[in-house]
Amino acid sequence: KAGVTQTPRYLIKTRGQQVTLSCSPISGHRSVSWYQQTPGQGLQFLFEYFSETQRNKGNFPGRFSGRQFSNSRSEMNVSTLELGDSALYLCASSSFNGNTIYFGEGSWLTVV
Amino acid sequence: DQQVKQNSPSLSVQEGRISILNCDYTNSMFDYFLWYKKYPAEGPTFLISISSIKDKNEDGRFTVFLNKSAKHLSLHIVPSQPGDSAVYFCAARDTTSGTYKYIFGTGTRLKVLA
């Protein structure tokens, strides 16, 4: 069974640009959540989607948005990029009543 | 306001000895706790979990202990191996909003010395 797949793995963007990251969850998993990891900050929760609906949202500005499609694939978008947005963005999926979330390899974003 | 805390940013242990990683939390409503291991440039890998109704769960070399009264959990790795060198995150599941939300600590970097 394939794991969580994230694309792209690495990308470099310029300040002010926008970026879209993609996540394909484990087959059968309907919950997808996104996290940002920066040095010393652990994993900061961005948002979580289930059946195309955002169920939870972390404390990030409105420049960070996401969506989920009917096939459970999810995208997150960051607009008007700032240097501080440089981070590893992680996607995780779980089944409906799953106790465990499983992570993808992450997308490394560098903003210059 | 950090609801899940890993107060030791790093830990060094000799190969073959026990590694003990600690995690504290503030919300008594957390109902499930997990540990993840992360290598550089990779996503976190699930290691072991424990329900709030239990106080111990064991899986091979890994054991997680939960002390609800102290709001404290720990991960024991015995014996420690060089391949265990990684960053370890603890996480707690928050269901107070009626849905699942996982809150992570800032991680502890474990170095196992050969």
Side-chain angles (χ1 to χ4, degrees):
Chain A
K1 187 156 142 175
V4 179
T5 305
Q6 291 187 245
T7 57
R9 287 295 317 277
Y10 304 93
L11 65 166
I12 300 174
K13 290 286 187 178
T14 305
R15 268 183 304 174
Q17 286 187 315
Q18 67 93 28
V19 66
T20 299
L21 308 177
S22 180
C23 172
S24 293
I26 292 171
S27 178
H29 284 189
R30 294 165 63 190
S31 170
V32 173
S33 50
W34 290 87
Y35 293 81
Q36 180 197 64
Q37 187 193 8
T38 52
Q41 292 297 313
L43 278 68
Q44 301 290 313
F45 173 75
L46 279 155
F47 26 66
E48 185 248 351
Y49 288 87
F50 181 84
S51 291
E52 303 178 66
T53 300
Q54 187 182 87
R55 298 199 299 186
N56 282 300
K57 190 176 190 306
N59 297 322
F60 278 82
R63 300 185 297 109
F64 292 81
S65 63
R67 59 177 176 168
Q68 187 180 33
F69 302 95
S70 58
N71 61 358
S72 294
R73 191 177 69 85
S74 177
E75 288 181 349
M76 70 162 281
N77 184 278
V78 188
S79 62
T80 320
L81 283 165
E82 300 175 359
L83 295 179
D85 296 332
S86 296
L88 175 65
Y89 289 89
L90 291 159
C91 170
S93 75
S94 68
S95 56
F96 174 64
N97 281 325
N99 292 327
T100 304
I101 58 173
Y102 298 92
F103 285 90
E105 297 281 304
S107 292
W108 281 99
L109 170 65
T110 301
V111 182
V112 298
Chain B
D1 179 26
Q2 195 74 17
Q3 295 189 68
V4 177
K5 299 178 185 177
Q6 293 178 257
N7 292 317
S8 298
S10 63
L11 173 69
S12 291
V13 171
Q14 207 66 36
E15 180 180 8
R17 307 294 290 268
I18 182 171
S19 294
I20 300 176
L21 297 97
N22 294 303
C23 181
D24 296 296
Y25 61 96
T26 58
N27 190 337
S28 58
M29 298 301 291
F30 291 158
D31 71 336
Y32 204 75
F33 303 89
L34 309 92
W35 283 95
Y36 287 82
K37 172 181 179 180
K38 187 180 183 300
Y39 294 118
E42 293 184 12
T45 302
F46 169 71
L47 267 178
I48 191 169
S49 60
I50 187 167
S51 165
S52 60
I53 62 174
K54 296 188 175 181
D55 55 18
K56 178 182 175 182
N57 188 27
E58 199 169 351
D59 184 1
R61 296 186 299 116
F62 302 92
T63 303
V64 56
F65 295 91
L66 176 63
N67 182 332
K68 284 189 70 177
S69 60
K71 297 191 183 68
H72 176 84
L73 66 155
S74 60
L75 173 68
H76 293 209
I77 306 173
V78 184
S80 300
Q81 299 173 353
D84 296 330
S85 297
V87 177
Y88 290 78
F89 291 97
C90 68
R93 188 172 73 177
D94 181 1
T95 57
T96 52
S97 63
T99 60
Y100 297 156
K101 182 178 173 181
Y102 292 83
I103 300 170
F104 284 78
T106 51
T108 296
R109 183 177 301 278
L110 173 66
K111 188 172 184 179
V112 180
L113 308 169

